[in-house]
Amino acid sequence: MSKNIVVAVCGGIAVYKTVDLVSRLKKKGHNVYVMMTKSACEFVTPLTFQTMSQNEVVTDMFAPVSNWEVEHISLATKADVMLVCPATANIIGKIASGIADDFVTTTIMATKAPKVICPAMNNNMYDNVVVQRNLSKLKNDGCYIVEPGEGFLACGTVGKGRLTELENIEDAIEEALCTDKDLLGKRVLVTAGPTREAIDPVRYITNHSSGKMGYEIAKRARIRGAEVTLVSGQVSLRPFSGINIIPVTSAQDMYNAVINEYDHSDIVIKAAAVADFTPKDKSEHKIKKSDSMSLELTKNPDILMNLGEKKAHQVLVGFCMETKELMENARKKLAKKNLDFIVANNLNTKGAGFGTDTNVVTIIDKLGNEQSLDIMSKGDVADIVLDKALEFIRK
């Protein structure tokens, strides 16, 4: 959904990255409005931002207006999110102190929109107790502070102070745009991706899981305010910012990680594709080619079954993927593993299954309710699963 994002650009070498960020936000369909401090104009011209945002760029509070409206009030009212990027020590100090002496600071003071602040400066400046005190104050006031990255800085030093990766800023904007934090104070544990069962140091048994469904659930839970832990098999996905990631390889690794986190979790969603079997004897050396080979397998621990047996206050959610007799198998798994509800899908259904951005699922709960959903994005499925988990918490 298109949102109005007002970007306050301050004077710093990281301004050039903000140009790219504005382009990214436009490509996502957002309306982007840029305002620049006088110092920012020394690094990049307003015309550059005007071209990328396709909107007029404001630089002067007292410039002649093309239509009759108090422009800083207009932008402040229009904003769904106020983004300060890059945020210098100067602008951070002004916002924290309530100073409004130019167009940028006046607009920031006038808006009720959530504020995302992205510090970028010399590492010694960033570490200064005054700057840290101001950032702490802004965070306590409800601002989203996107921590800078570490590395080589434009001033020639090495340390923490460079503008963070743009993906982290985009994540913070998504988080700020979600005003209904209905999972605030909840701890959500999610598993995602495949497990790998070693045969020898070179080969392993695995499956086609991409991890997309579990990663979307973790992302939506984080955006909605939860403290999220994601136990993930090896995938090629970037986790959403602010999520506690526990990387694992084998089913035994995943079992150990989940059991360790289980007691202090409120909602547990097992979306991983865990291998049921593992080689009984794992070779310490690469097995040489031969005309034939047999592989003896032994059962892995049943993570979901163990969680169901230990369940106390947790809402426990499982996934079931089948190629036939979906509903019958899903109902059996729901009862056998003591789940609150299960999310079932058929690998043969178009738009469902491994590696897709969409899913087609049916949700079955322990009360006998069934909800069949049409094809939709995995993000939308994730929200419905989390809504259902909240229903059980509230009951």
Side-chain angles (χ1 to χ4, degrees), residues 134-330:
N134 287 335
L135 286 170
S136 179
K137 183 177 180 182
L138 291 175
K139 190 172 184 178
N140 290 335
D141 287 344
C143 295
Y144 293 83
I145 308 298
V146 187
E147 291 287 323
E150 294 189 38
F152 184 81
L153 305 179
C155 57
T157 61
V158 177
K160 188 172 184 178
R162 63 186 300 168
L163 187 70
T164 188
E165 299 301 322
L166 299 186
E167 292 86 355
N168 296 332
I169 300 173
E170 292 176 280
D171 287 352
I173 291 170
E174 277 198 71
E175 199 171 339
L177 283 170
C178 179
T179 55
D180 185 10
K181 304 295 185 184
D182 54 359
L183 287 172
L184 194 65
K186 303 300 181 188
R187 293 180 174 181
V188 177
L189 174 62
V190 183
T191 67
T195 60
R196 293 179 177 181
E197 308 302 318
I199 298 172
D200 61 21
V202 177
R203 306 174 183 89
Y204 54 83
I205 302 171
T206 190
N207 56 64
H208 297 293
S209 174
S210 64
K212 287 184 176 182
M213 190 68 250
Y215 272 62
E216 282 295 330
I217 293 170
K219 171 184 174 179
R220 293 305 308 169
R222 171 65 186 178
I223 287 173
R224 291 167 63 167
E227 180 183 329
V228 182
T229 296
L230 176 60
V231 180
S232 176
Q234 297 186 33
V235 298
S236 59
L237 303 173
R238 184 188 72 87
F240 193 81
S241 300
I243 291 174
N244 174 35
I245 297 288
I246 302 177
V248 296
T249 301
S250 69
Q252 186 65 53
D253 295 338
M254 185 168 284
Y255 174 84
N256 294 340
V258 170
I259 292 299
N260 190 54
E261 297 290 328
Y262 189 50
D263 287 345
H264 50 267
S265 299
D266 300 300
I267 299 171
V268 180
I269 303 176
K270 286 285 285 93
V274 183
D276 294 323
F277 295 92
T278 189
K280 184 176 181 180
D281 297 309
K282 300 174 177 62
S283 176
E284 293 183 7
H285 303 285
K286 178 183 175 183
I287 300 172
K288 303 306 290 182
K289 186 188 297 185
S290 61
D291 291 336
S292 64
M293 175 183 174
S294 65
L295 192 63
E296 187 176 356
L297 303 177
T298 184
K299 273 191 174 183
N300 273 321
D302 190 324
I303 302 174
L304 201 52
M305 178 77 80
N306 275 272
L307 298 183
E309 292 171 354
K310 297 175 185 294
K311 188 170 70 168
H313 64 280
Q314 298 90 348
V315 171
L316 183 58
V317 183
F319 272 69
C320 177
M321 177 179 282
E322 299 288 347
T323 56
K324 63 179 183 178
E325 299 175 350
L326 174 66
M327 300 305 290
E328 180 183 348
N329 287 322

Side-chain angles (χ1 to χ4, degrees), residues 3-23:
K3 296 292 184 179
N4 295 325
I5 300 174
V6 178
V7 184
V9 184
C10 305
I13 192 62
V15 168
Y16 78 93
K17 292 184 180 179
T18 310
V19 175
D20 186 17
L21 180 61
V22 169
S23 175

Side-chain angles (χ1 to χ4, degrees), residues 98-120:
I99 296 172
D101 63 352
D102 62 5
F103 188 90
V104 168
T105 51
T106 303
T107 307
I108 292 170
M109 287 300 120
T111 191
K112 292 185 177 180
K115 302 172 185 68
V116 177
I117 297 174
C118 309

